[in-house]
Amino acid sequence: HRGGNQIIPTARRGFLGAQLVSNPRLLEPVYLVEIQCPEMAIGGVYSCLNRRRGHIFEEVPRAGTPIYNLRAFLPVQESFGFTADLRAQTSGQAFPQCVFDHWQIVDSNPLEEGTDSATIILDARRRKGLKIEIPSAAKFIDKL
């Protein structure tokens, strides 16, 4: 009879090793951002979103007014400080609302140095106080 103290660490090493041997990808959460602004502030909105890996997919003028309703996707990681930056770019004329919309695959291998995924992982490992380097798959091979 085997207990959890024997099975869980073995299973954990197997799962972690399998993840490192496979072709891993990250999923990142993405906000749907709805922005209301006058026509003359649209340039500032575009520049602010482009710097933060966001992209506008809908631009609709409100009938009878100079106001535009913009809809964009913005990665959650890039949204910290977004409202203040947007207000600074548009002189306080743009008003954003962020709501979670979907998950998006980051198109780079997190195990290759210098990629977007690797940068995200290294930042998270620093924040959590983990070792900076990602362990190799050889660490999880059973050495009996």
Side-chain angles (χ1 to χ4, degrees):
H1 173 33
R2 304 267 184 223
N5 291 340
Q6 291 175 317
I7 294 173
I8 292 172
T10 305
R12 181 176 186 272
R13 279 197 320 271
F15 293 139
L16 290 174
Q19 287 176 352
L20 291 173
V21 172
S22 68
N23 191 10
R25 293 291 179 259
L26 290 181
L27 286 175
E28 70 176 340
V30 177
Y31 279 144
L32 169 66
V33 183
E34 295 185 3
I35 302 170
Q36 296 177 354
C37 67
E39 184 177 4
M40 59 189 235
I42 290 177
V45 173
Y46 270 93
S47 69
C48 186
L49 281 168
N50 286 336
R51 274 198 319 268
R52 295 175 173 265
R53 295 191 300 135
H55 67 279
I56 294 177
F57 65 90
E58 186 176 285
E59 185 177 314
V60 180
R62 194 180 298 170
T65 66
I67 303 292
Y68 274 73
N69 289 337
L70 307 172
R71 295 179 62 164
F73 290 129
L74 179 68
V76 171
Q77 181 184 9
E78 304 290 338
S79 69
F80 302 106
F82 171 69
T83 301
D85 192 23
L86 182 65
R87 295 265 170 92
Q89 286 285 321
T90 61
S91 303
Q93 296 179 333
F95 301 96
Q97 290 181 325
C98 299
V99 178
F100 172 78
D101 189 65
H102 65 277
W103 293 90
Q104 177 177 313
I105 294 176
V106 180
D107 290 332
S108 58
N109 189 344
L111 302 178
E112 292 178 12
E113 290 186 26
T115 61
D116 290 340
S117 297
T119 304
I120 292 169
I121 287 178
L122 291 178
D123 290 344
R125 291 180 76 85
R126 277 192 203 99
R127 218 175 28 251
K128 293 182 176 195
L130 300 172
K131 292 180 183 176
I132 299 299
E133 66 276 350
I134 297 173
S136 68
K139 180 182 177 186
F140 300 103
I141 295 174
D142 202 8
K143 298 182 170 116
L144 286 180

